[in-house]
């Protein structure tokens, strides 16, 4: 397969006539490609470290394996981006609606990369939504960023950007094992923000140094806010959101509401919990949000809790142990979690938890 890509590279480089895109772009955007790849990896890896979601690489990370990965990765990336640049240049030279053609070419690159076989095997709306968020949308935003880099800076910036990311994925022994929602959020948000940042800098001349500084600050703040938003949603901070999927706490908390949960991380905090407080706790792989009805102590002084949903006719059958308690509900935000109801099944109620009257 590498030989196939090398043939494409040879044809474009040695046989086809040379074409270029006469834009105002900076031909030295390699630094942007390099920094973009590093930032993207850092966002994923730091998030995975904070969440303790790291896993061993499925690829061969021996010296021989790394060399084979490099031989496999770079001819394909270089050939693809050379085709992208040559297509852009040809459209820019021959077509009337140049930018429309460039958008169309980018769409074609997206369609080529999407695995429609996997897409067609999705059987439910939930599966389709997950595949779209985790795979399809990041493919689209990634190709938009790569088209921006190629259009304004040529082949090399795009090759450096995607090459760094893929080299890390294929050669690093430990990789992020993030959930589909987190992986998709980073994959969608970062290329959009960084692509806008690159375009802004392309058109910022040396006579606009103050504007440049403001732009740097603006996009840095945007990137930090996007990162903070992802970290907030995955529980990095002391307070995190949780979507309520059932009606067991009606009318105070309705399905589709989001509760803000303050983490409990110390034993002393467990001892301060009292009757009437609403806690979030784990039961198997499911998170439940119910009110404390009784604080129980055995003869040895060990604490456990009897909980009940406000809308349930009976208390939960199983007592909640301290290690199961994740946090205390401190705020209810109505209805903003409704989209999650489409993506998550509501019929998986753990054994021992009454969810209906």
């Amino acid at each position: 397969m590498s030989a196939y890509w090398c043939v494409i590279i040879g044809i474009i480089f040695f046989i086809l006539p040379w074409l270029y895109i006469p834009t105002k772009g900076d031909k030295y955007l390699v630094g942007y490609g390099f920094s973009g790849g590093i930032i993207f990896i850092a966002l994923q890896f730091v998030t995975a470290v904070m969440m303790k979601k790291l896993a061993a690489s499925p690829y061969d990370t021996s010296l021989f394996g790394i060399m084979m990965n490099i031989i496999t990765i770079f001819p394909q990336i270089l050939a693809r981006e050379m085709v992208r640049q040559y297509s852009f240049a040809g459209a820019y030279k021959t077509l009337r609606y140049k930018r429309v053609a460039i958008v169309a070419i980018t769409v074609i690159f997206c369609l080529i990369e999407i695995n429609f076989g996997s897409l067609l095997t999705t059987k439910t709306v939930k599966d389709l939504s997950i595949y779209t968020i985790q795979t399809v949308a990041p493919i689209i935003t990634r190709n938009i960023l790569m088209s921006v880099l190629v259009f304004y800076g040529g082949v090399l910036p795009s090759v450096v950007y995607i090459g760094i990311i893929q080299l890390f994925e294929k050669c690093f022994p430990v990789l992020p094992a993030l959930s589909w929602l987190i992986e998709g959020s980073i994959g969608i948000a970062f290329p959009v923000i960084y692509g806008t940042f690159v375009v802004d800098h392309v058109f910022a001349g040396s006579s606009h140094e103050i504007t440049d500084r403001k732009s740097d600050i603006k996009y840095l703040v945007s990137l930090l806010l996007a990162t903070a938003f992802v970290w907030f949603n995955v529980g990095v901070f002391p307070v995190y959101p949780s979507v309520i999927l059932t009606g067991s706490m009606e009318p105070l908390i309705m399905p589709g509401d989001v509760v803000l949960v303050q983490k409990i991380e110390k034993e002393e905090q467990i001892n301060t919990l009292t009757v009437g407080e609403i806690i979030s706790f784990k039961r198997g792989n499911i998170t439940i949000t119910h009110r404390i009805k009784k604080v129980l102590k055995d003869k040895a002084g060990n604490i456990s809790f009897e909980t009940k949903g406000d809308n349930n006719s009976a208390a939960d059958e199983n007592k909640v142990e301290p290690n199961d308690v994740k946090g205390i509900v401190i705020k209810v935000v109505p209805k903003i979690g409704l989209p999650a109801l489409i993506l998550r099944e509501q019929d998986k109620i753990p054994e021992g938890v009454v969810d209906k009257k």
Side-chain angles (χ1 to χ4, degrees):
M1 184 60 71
S2 296
Y4 168 78
W5 298 116
C6 289
V7 169
I8 294 178
I9 294 169
I11 291 172
I12 295 175
F13 195 80
F14 295 106
I15 298 177
L16 294 179
W18 182 68
L19 295 177
Y20 68 96
I21 306 172
T23 67
K24 298 178 181 179
D26 183 356
K27 298 303 180 182
Y28 299 96
L29 291 180
V30 178
Y32 289 107
F34 180 81
S35 61
I38 295 297
I39 293 171
F40 182 81
I41 292 170
L43 285 175
Q44 287 193 320
F45 201 80
V46 171
T47 302
V49 169
M50 288 185 171
M51 295 185 63
K52 299 179 181 179
K53 294 289 186 179
L54 294 172
S57 172
Y59 303 103
D60 183 0
T61 56
S62 65
L63 181 60
F64 176 77
I66 291 174
M67 292 176 61
M68 292 303 299
N69 288 333
I70 293 173
I71 293 173
T72 303
I73 290 170
F74 279 101
Q76 179 179 357
I77 294 174
L78 181 58
R80 185 182 61 200
E81 297 314 297
M82 288 180 71
V83 171
R84 189 193 304 263
Q85 191 274 339
Y86 201 86
S87 301
F88 285 180
Y92 208 91
K93 182 178 180 180
T94 60
L95 300 180
R96 179 178 179 183
Y97 299 102
K98 299 175 176 57
R99 295 183 183 266
V100 174
I102 287 171
V103 171
I105 292 168
T106 302
V107 171
I108 292 172
F109 271 86
C110 294
L111 294 176
I112 292 172
E113 196 171 343
I114 294 172
N115 187 336
F116 285 97
S118 298
L119 187 62
L120 293 174
T121 58
T122 55
K123 298 179 180 180
T124 65
V125 174
K126 177 182 175 180
D127 292 338
L128 179 61
S129 301
I130 291 174
Y131 187 77
T132 300
I133 293 172
Q134 184 179 23
T135 305
V136 176
I139 286 175
I140 294 171
T141 57
R142 179 172 66 247
N143 273 279
I144 291 173
L145 173 57
M146 293 165 70
S147 290
V148 166
L149 291 172
V150 169
F151 185 78
Y152 291 111
V155 172
L156 195 54
S158 181
V159 170
V160 169
Y161 171 76
I162 197 65
I164 287 174
I165 294 173
Q166 290 198 9
L167 195 62
F168 172 79
E169 292 174 352
K170 297 291 179 65
C171 299
F172 204 72
V174 179
L175 297 176
L178 300 172
S179 69
W180 63 268
L181 184 58
I182 305 168
E183 184 180 342
S185 298
I186 296 174
I188 295 169
F190 177 77
V192 172
I193 294 173
Y194 199 71
T196 308
F197 173 81
V198 170
V199 172
D200 184 79
H201 273 248
V202 165
F203 291 99
S206 59
S207 60
H208 299 87
E209 293 184 1
I210 295 177
T211 304
D212 289 353
R213 293 194 197 100
K214 290 182 178 179
S215 296
D216 286 343
I217 294 172
K218 179 177 68 174
Y219 289 112
L220 179 60
V221 169
S222 299
L223 184 59
L224 291 176
L225 288 176
T227 304
F229 178 75
V230 172
W231 287 354
F232 172 67
N233 279 281
V234 302
V236 171
F237 299 122
V239 175
Y240 67 91
S242 180
V243 179
I244 301 301
L245 303 178
T246 72
S248 65
M249 285 297 293
E250 293 182 8
L252 177 63
I253 308 174
M254 305 293 290
D257 290 352
V258 169
V259 293
L260 298 183
V261 182
Q262 183 174 358
K263 284 184 180 179
I264 289 181
E265 299 175 330
K266 297 180 180 179
E267 185 177 350
E268 293 79 6
Q269 294 173 287
I270 292 289
N271 295 328
T272 63
L273 294 176
T274 59
V275 172
E277 289 185 299
I278 301 173
I279 60 173
S280 182
F281 58 93
K282 297 289 286 186
R283 184 65 49 81
N285 293 325
I286 298 175
T287 300
I288 303 167
T289 300
H290 280 177
R291 193 183 301 274
I292 296 176
K293 299 301 292 183
K294 292 182 182 179
V295 178
L296 308 171
K297 283 189 178 181
D298 60 19
K299 293 182 180 180
N302 298 315
I303 292 178
S304 61
F305 304 95
E306 180 182 284
T307 56
K308 176 180 176 294
D310 291 355
N311 195 35
N312 292 346
S313 58
D316 303 332
E317 294 178 8
N318 297 323
K319 304 301 182 288
V320 179
E321 301 297 332
N323 288 338
D324 298 327
V325 180
K326 298 303 177 184
I328 307 171
V329 173
I330 58 175
K331 181 70 176 178
V332 179
V333 184
K335 302 305 177 186
I336 66 171
L338 284 174
L341 295 179
I342 301 174
L343 303 179
R344 300 172 68 175
E345 297 174 359
Q346 300 186 45
D347 57 351
K348 292 185 177 180
I349 305 302
E351 184 180 354
V353 176
V354 182
D355 192 56
K356 297 180 180 179
K357 285 188 175 181

